[in-house]
Coordinates of all heavy atoms in Angstrom, one line a residue:
M1 N 65.5 158.0 151.5 CA 64.8 156.9 152.1 C 65.8 156.1 153.0 O 66.9 155.8 152.6 CB 64.3 156.0 150.9 CG 63.5 154.8 151.5 SD 62.9 153.8 150.1 CE 61.5 154.8 149.5
T2 N 65.3 155.8 154.1 CA 66.2 155.1 155.0 C 65.7 153.6 155.2 O 64.6 153.3 154.9 CB 66.2 155.7 156.4 OG1 64.9 155.8 156.9 CG2 66.8 157.1 156.4
T3 N 66.6 152.8 155.5 CA 66.2 151.4 155.7 C 65.3 151.3 157.0 O 65.6 151.9 158.0 CB 67.4 150.5 155.9 OG1 68.2 151.0 156.9 CG2 68.3 150.5 154.6
P4 N 64.3 150.5 156.9 CA 63.4 150.3 158.1 C 64.2 149.6 159.2 O 65.1 148.8 158.9 CB 62.3 149.5 157.6 CG 62.8 148.8 156.4 CD 63.9 149.7 155.8
P5 N 63.8 149.9 160.4 CA 64.5 149.2 161.6 C 64.1 147.8 161.5 O 63.0 147.4 161.1 CB 63.9 150.0 162.8 CG 62.6 150.5 162.3 CD 62.8 150.9 160.9
P6 N 64.9 146.9 162.0 CA 64.6 145.5 162.1 C 63.4 145.2 163.0 O 63.3 145.8 164.0 CB 65.9 144.8 162.6 CG 66.6 145.9 163.4 CD 66.2 147.2 162.6
A7 N 62.6 144.3 162.5 CA 61.4 144.0 163.3 C 61.8 143.2 164.6 O 62.7 142.4 164.5 CB 60.4 143.1 162.5
P8 N 61.2 143.5 165.7 CA 61.5 142.8 166.9 C 61.1 141.3 166.8 O 60.1 141.0 166.2 CB 60.7 143.5 168.0 CG 59.5 144.2 167.2 CD 60.1 144.5 165.9
M9 N 62.0 140.5 167.2 CA 61.8 139.1 167.1 C 60.7 138.6 168.1 O 60.8 138.9 169.3 CB 63.1 138.3 167.3 CG 63.0 136.8 167.2 SD 64.6 136.0 167.4 CE 65.4 136.6 165.9
P10 N 59.7 137.9 167.7 CA 58.7 137.4 168.7 C 59.4 136.5 169.7 O 60.3 135.8 169.4 CB 57.8 136.6 167.8 CG 58.0 137.1 166.4 CD 59.4 137.5 166.3
A11 N 58.9 136.5 170.9 CA 59.4 135.8 172.0 C 59.4 134.3 171.7 O 60.3 133.5 172.0 CB 58.7 136.0 173.3
A12 N 58.4 133.8 171.0 CA 58.2 132.4 170.7 C 59.3 132.0 169.8 O 59.9 130.9 169.9 CB 56.9 132.1 170.2
L13 N 59.6 132.8 168.8 CA 60.6 132.5 167.8 C 62.0 132.5 168.5 O 62.9 131.7 168.2 CB 60.6 133.5 166.7 CG 61.4 133.1 165.4 CD1 61.0 131.8 164.9 CD2 61.3 134.2 164.4
R14 N 62.2 133.5 169.3 CA 63.5 133.6 170.0 C 63.7 132.4 170.9 O 64.8 131.9 171.0 CB 63.5 134.9 170.9 CG 64.9 135.2 171.5 CD 64.7 136.2 172.6 NE 64.1 137.4 172.1 CZ 64.8 138.5 171.6 NH1 66.1 138.4 171.5 NH2 64.1 139.5 171.2
A15 N 62.7 131.9 171.5 CA 62.8 130.7 172.4 C 63.2 129.5 171.6 O 63.9 128.7 172.0 CB 61.5 130.5 173.1
Q16 N 62.7 129.5 170.3 CA 63.1 128.3 169.5 C 64.6 128.4 169.1 O 65.3 127.4 169.0 CB 62.2 128.3 168.2 CG 60.8 127.8 168.6 CD 60.1 127.4 167.3 OE1 60.4 127.8 166.2 NE2 59.1 126.6 167.5
L17 N 65.1 129.6 168.8 CA 66.5 129.8 168.5 C 67.4 129.4 169.6 O 68.4 128.8 169.4 CB 66.7 131.2 168.0 CG 66.1 131.6 166.7 CD1 66.4 133.0 166.4 CD2 66.7 130.7 165.6
N18 N 66.9 129.8 170.8 CA 67.7 129.5 172.0 C 67.3 128.2 172.7 O 67.4 128.0 173.9 CB 67.6 130.6 173.0 CG 68.2 131.9 172.4 OD1 69.1 131.9 171.6 ND2 67.6 133.0 172.8
R19 N 66.8 127.3 171.9 CA 66.2 126.1 172.4 C 67.3 125.3 173.2 O 68.4 125.0 172.8 CB 65.7 125.2 171.2 CG 65.2 123.9 171.7 CD 64.6 123.1 170.5 NE 63.4 123.7 170.0 CZ 62.8 123.3 168.9 NH1 63.3 122.3 168.2 NH2 61.8 123.9 168.4
H20 N 66.9 125.0 174.4 CA 67.7 124.2 175.3 C 67.8 122.8 174.8 O 66.8 122.2 174.4 CB 67.2 124.3 176.7 CG 68.2 123.8 177.7 ND1 68.4 122.5 178.0 CD2 69.1 124.5 178.5 CE1 69.4 122.4 178.9 NE2 69.8 123.6 179.3
P21 N 69.0 122.1 174.9 CA 69.1 120.7 174.4 C 68.2 119.8 175.3 O 67.8 118.7 174.8 CB 70.5 120.4 174.6 CG 71.1 121.5 175.5 CD 70.3 122.7 175.2
A22 N 67.8 120.2 176.5 CA 67.0 119.4 177.3 C 65.6 119.2 176.7 O 64.9 118.3 177.0 CB 66.9 120.0 178.7
Q23 N 65.3 120.1 175.8 CA 63.9 120.0 175.2 C 63.9 118.9 174.1 O 62.8 118.7 173.6 CB 63.6 121.4 174.5 CG 63.3 122.5 175.5 CD 62.8 123.7 174.9 OE1 62.6 123.8 173.7 NE2 62.6 124.7 175.7
Q24 N 65.0 118.2 173.9 CA 65.0 117.1 173.0 C 64.3 115.9 173.7 O 63.9 114.9 173.0 CB 66.4 116.7 172.7 CG 67.1 117.7 171.8 CD 68.5 117.4 171.6 OE1 69.0 116.4 172.1 NE2 69.3 118.3 171.0
I25 N 64.1 116.0 175.0 CA 63.4 114.9 175.7 C 62.1 115.4 176.3 O 62.0 116.6 176.6 CB 64.3 114.3 176.8 CG1 64.6 115.3 177.9 CG2 65.6 113.7 176.1 CD1 65.3 114.7 179.1
P26 N 61.1 114.6 176.6 CA 59.9 115.1 177.3 C 60.2 115.5 178.7 O 61.2 115.1 179.3 CB 59.0 113.8 177.3 CG 59.6 112.9 176.3 CD 61.1 113.1 176.2
C27 N 59.4 116.5 179.1 CA 59.6 117.0 180.5 C 58.9 116.1 181.5 O 57.7 115.9 181.4 CB 59.1 118.4 180.6 SG 59.4 119.1 182.3
P28 N 59.6 115.5 182.5 CA 58.9 114.7 183.5 C 58.1 115.5 184.5 O 57.3 115.0 185.2 CB 60.1 114.0 184.2 CG 61.2 115.0 184.0 CD 61.0 115.6 182.7
F29 N 58.3 116.8 184.4 CA 57.6 117.7 185.4 C 56.3 118.2 184.9 O 55.2 118.0 185.5 CB 58.5 118.9 185.8 CG 57.9 119.8 186.8 CD1 58.1 119.4 188.2 CD2 57.3 120.9 186.5 CE1 57.5 120.2 189.2 CE2 56.7 121.8 187.5 CZ 56.9 121.4 188.8
C30 N 56.3 118.8 183.7 CA 55.0 119.3 183.2 C 54.5 118.5 182.0 O 53.5 118.9 181.4 CB 55.2 120.8 182.7 SG 56.3 120.9 181.3
R31 N 55.1 117.4 181.7 CA 54.7 116.5 180.7 C 54.7 117.1 179.3 O 54.0 116.6 178.4 CB 53.2 116.0 181.0 CG 53.0 115.4 182.4 CD 53.8 114.1 182.5 NE 53.6 113.5 183.8 CZ 54.2 112.4 184.2 NH1 55.1 111.8 183.4 NH2 54.0 111.9 185.4
A32 N 55.6 118.1 179.1 CA 55.7 118.6 177.8 C 56.4 117.6 176.9 O 57.3 116.9 177.3 CB 56.6 119.9 177.8
P33 N 55.9 117.4 175.7 CA 56.5 116.4 174.8 C 57.8 116.8 174.3 O 58.2 118.0 174.4 CB 55.5 116.3 173.6 CG 54.8 117.6 173.6 CD 54.7 118.0 175.1
A34 N 58.6 115.9 173.8 CA 59.9 116.2 173.3 C 59.8 117.3 172.2 O 58.9 117.3 171.4 CB 60.5 114.9 172.7
R35 N 60.9 118.1 172.2 CA 61.0 119.2 171.3 C 60.0 120.3 171.5 O 59.9 121.3 170.8 CB 60.9 118.8 169.8 CG 62.0 117.8 169.4 CD 61.8 117.3 168.0 NE 62.7 116.2 167.7 CZ 63.9 116.5 167.2 NH1 64.3 117.7 166.9 NH2 64.8 115.5 166.9
A36 N 59.2 120.2 172.5 CA 58.2 121.3 172.9 C 58.7 122.0 174.1 O 59.4 121.4 175.0 CB 56.8 120.7 173.1
A37 N 58.4 123.2 174.2 CA 58.8 124.0 175.4 C 58.0 123.6 176.6 O 56.8 123.2 176.5 CB 58.6 125.5 175.1
C38 N 58.6 123.8 177.7 CA 57.8 123.5 179.0 C 56.7 124.6 179.1 O 56.8 125.7 178.6 CB 58.8 123.7 180.2 SG 59.8 122.2 180.5
A39 N 55.7 124.2 179.8 CA 54.6 125.1 180.0 C 54.0 125.0 181.4 O 54.2 124.0 182.1 CB 53.4 124.8 179.0
T40 N 53.4 126.1 181.8 CA 52.8 126.0 183.1 C 51.5 125.3 183.1 O 51.0 124.9 182.0 CB 52.6 127.5 183.7 OG1 51.7 128.1 182.8 CG2 53.9 128.2 183.6
A41 N 50.8 125.2 184.2 CA 49.5 124.5 184.3 C 48.5 125.3 183.5 O 47.5 124.8 183.1 CB 49.1 124.4 185.8
T42 N 48.7 126.6 183.4 CA 47.8 127.4 182.6 C 48.1 127.5 181.1 O 47.4 128.1 180.4 CB 47.8 128.9 183.2 OG1 49.2 129.4 183.1 CG2 47.3 128.9 184.6
G43 N 49.1 126.7 180.7 CA 49.4 126.6 179.3 C 50.4 127.7 178.8 O 50.7 127.7 177.6
R44 N 50.9 128.5 179.7 CA 51.9 129.5 179.3 C 53.3 128.9 179.1 O 53.7 128.1 179.9 CB 52.0 130.6 180.3 CG 52.8 131.8 179.8 CD 52.7 132.9 180.9 NE 53.4 132.6 182.1 CZ 54.7 132.9 182.3 NH1 55.4 133.5 181.4 NH2 55.2 132.6 183.5
R45 N 53.9 129.1 177.9 CA 55.1 128.5 177.6 C 56.3 129.2 178.3 O 56.3 130.4 178.4 CB 55.4 128.5 176.1 CG 54.4 127.8 175.3 CD 54.6 127.9 173.8 NE 55.8 127.1 173.4 CZ 56.2 127.0 172.2 NH1 55.7 127.8 171.3 NH2 57.3 126.3 171.9
L46 N 57.2 128.4 178.8 CA 58.3 128.9 179.6 C 59.5 129.1 178.7 O 59.7 128.2 177.8 CB 58.6 128.0 180.8 CG 57.5 127.8 181.8 CD1 57.9 126.7 182.8 CD2 57.1 129.1 182.5
P47 N 60.3 130.1 178.9 CA 61.5 130.3 178.1 C 62.6 129.3 178.4 O 63.4 129.0 177.6 CB 61.9 131.7 178.4 CG 61.4 132.0 179.8 CD 60.1 131.2 179.9
N48 N 62.5 128.8 179.6 CA 63.5 127.8 180.0 C 62.9 126.5 180.4 O 61.8 126.5 181.0 CB 64.4 128.3 181.1 CG 65.2 129.5 180.7 OD1 65.8 129.5 179.7 ND2 65.1 130.6 181.5
P49 N 63.5 125.3 180.2 CA 62.9 124.1 180.6 C 62.9 124.0 182.2 O 63.8 124.6 182.8 CB 63.8 123.0 180.0 CG 65.1 123.7 179.7 CD 64.7 125.1 179.4
H50 N 62.1 123.1 182.7 CA 62.1 122.9 184.1 C 63.4 122.3 184.6 O 64.0 121.5 183.8 CB 60.9 122.0 184.5 CG 59.6 122.7 184.5 ND1 58.5 122.4 183.6 CD2 59.1 123.8 185.2 CE1 57.5 123.2 183.8 NE2 57.8 124.1 184.7
P51 N 63.8 122.6 185.8 CA 65.0 121.9 186.3 C 65.0 120.4 186.3 O 66.0 119.8 186.0 CB 65.1 122.5 187.8 CG 64.4 123.7 187.7 CD 63.2 123.5 186.7
A52 N 63.8 119.9 186.5 CA 63.7 118.4 186.4 C 64.0 117.9 185.0 O 64.5 116.8 184.8 CB 62.3 118.0 186.9
R53 N 63.6 118.7 184.0 CA 63.9 118.3 182.6 C 65.4 118.3 182.3 O 65.9 117.4 181.7 CB 63.1 119.2 181.7 CG 63.0 118.7 180.3 CD 62.2 119.6 179.4 NE 61.8 119.0 178.2 CZ 61.0 119.6 177.3 NH1 60.5 120.8 177.5 NH2 60.6 118.9 176.2
T54 N 66.0 119.4 182.7 CA 67.5 119.5 182.5 C 68.2 118.4 183.3 O 69.2 117.8 182.8 CB 68.0 120.9 182.9 OG1 67.6 121.1 184.2 CG2 67.4 122.0 182.0
D55 N 67.7 118.1 184.5 CA 68.3 117.0 185.2 C 68.2 115.7 184.5 O 69.1 114.9 184.4 CB 67.7 116.9 186.6 CG 68.1 118.0 187.5 OD1 69.1 118.7 187.2 OD2 67.5 118.2 188.6
A56 N 67.0 115.5 184.0 CA 66.8 114.2 183.2 C 67.7 114.2 182.0 O 68.2 113.1 181.6 CB 65.3 114.1 182.8
W57 N 67.8 115.3 181.3 CA 68.6 115.3 180.1 C 70.1 115.1 180.5 O 70.8 114.3 179.8 CB 68.5 116.7 179.4 CG 69.2 116.7 178.1 CD1 68.7 116.3 176.9 CD2 70.5 117.2 177.9 NE1 69.7 116.5 175.9 CE2 70.8 117.0 176.5 CE3 71.5 117.7 178.7 CZ2 72.0 117.4 175.9 CZ3 72.8 118.1 178.1 CH2 73.0 117.9 176.7
N58 N 70.5 115.7 181.6 CA 71.9 115.5 182.0 C 72.2 114.1 182.4 O 73.2 113.5 182.1 CB 72.2 116.4 183.2 CG 72.3 117.9 182.8 OD1 72.7 118.2 181.7 ND2 72.0 118.8 183.7
A59 N 71.2 113.5 183.0 CA 71.3 112.1 183.4 C 71.5 111.2 182.2 O 72.2 110.2 182.2 CB 70.1 111.6 184.2
R60 N 70.8 111.5 181.1 CA 70.9 110.7 179.9 C 72.2 110.9 179.2 O 72.7 110.0 178.6 CB 69.8 111.1 178.9 CG 68.4 110.5 179.3 CD 67.5 110.6 178.2 NE 66.1 110.3 178.5 CZ 65.1 110.1 177.7 NH1 65.4 110.2 176.4 NH2 63.9 109.8 178.1
H61 N 72.7 112.1 179.3 CA 73.9 112.5 178.5 C 75.2 112.5 179.3 O 76.2 112.9 178.8 CB 73.6 113.8 177.8 CG 72.6 113.8 176.7 ND1 72.9 113.6 175.4 CD2 71.2 113.8 176.8 CE1 71.7 113.5 174.7 NE2 70.7 113.7 175.6
T62 N 75.1 112.0 180.5 CA 76.4 111.8 181.2 C 76.6 110.3 181.4 O 75.7 109.6 181.9 CB 76.3 112.5 182.6 OG1 75.1 112.1 183.3 CG2 76.3 114.0 182.4
T63 N 77.7 109.9 181.0 CA 78.0 108.4 181.1 C 78.5 108.1 182.5 O 78.3 109.0 183.5 CB 79.0 108.0 180.1 OG1 80.2 108.9 180.2 CG2 78.4 108.2 178.7
E64 N 79.1 107.0 182.7 CA 79.6 106.6 184.0 C 80.9 107.3 184.4 O 81.6 106.8 185.3 CB 79.7 105.1 184.1 CG 78.4 104.4 183.9 CD 78.5 102.9 184.1 OE1 79.7 102.5 184.3 OE2 77.5 102.2 184.1
E65 N 81.2 108.4 183.7 CA 82.5 109.1 184.0 C 82.5 109.6 185.4 O 83.6 109.8 186.0 CB 82.7 110.2 183.0 CG 81.6 111.2 183.0 CD 81.8 112.2 181.9 OE1 82.9 112.2 181.3 OE2 80.9 112.9 181.6
T66 N 81.3 109.9 186.0 CA 81.3 110.4 187.4 C 81.3 109.2 188.4 O 81.3 109.4 189.6 CB 80.1 111.2 187.6 OG1 78.9 110.5 187.3 CG2 80.2 112.5 186.7
H67 N 81.2 108.0 187.8 CA 81.1 106.8 188.7 C 82.5 106.4 189.0 O 83.1 105.5 188.4 CB 80.4 105.7 187.9 CG 80.1 104.5 188.8 ND1 80.9 103.4 188.8 CD2 79.1 104.3 189.7 CE1 80.4 102.5 189.7 NE2 79.3 103.0 190.2
T68 N 83.0 106.9 190.1 CA 84.4 106.6 190.4 C 84.4 105.7 191.6 O 83.9 106.0 192.6 CB 85.2 107.9 190.7 OG1 84.5 108.7 191.6 CG2 85.5 108.6 189.4
Ligands
ZN1 ZN1 58.6 121.2 182.1

């Protein structure tokens, strides 16, 4: 008897493991709530957050260190 091969990880689960920190805030582009993945207008979840969301997250998490 051999060990069964590992089950393929569902894409949705994999997306949660690789959750981008930008998903901690709502997306200003697609209106996805905080901790939820970005989605298209048709409701399809995107593996990566919208650039506007990462920009918003970066703006929150960067202090005035760039303010020279
Ligand atoms: Zn989005």
Side-chain angles (χ1 to χ4, degrees):
M1 183 178 286
T2 59
T3 56
M9 182 177 290
L13 191 60
R14 188 195 303 269
Q16 287 195 336
L17 288 178
N18 298 329
R19 178 177 291 175
H20 193 281
Q23 291 187 1
Q24 293 172 4
I25 64 170
C27 180
F29 184 81
C30 67
R31 304 295 181 183
R35 298 175 185 273
C38 281
T40 63
T42 56
R44 191 171 67 89
R45 298 179 71 184
L46 298 175
N48 296 312
H50 284 117
R53 195 178 196 176
T54 55
D55 284 348
W57 187 86
N58 287 331
R60 283 196 189 190
H61 291 265
T62 53
T63 53
E64 295 184 356
E65 59 189 344
T66 57
H67 188 263
T68 50

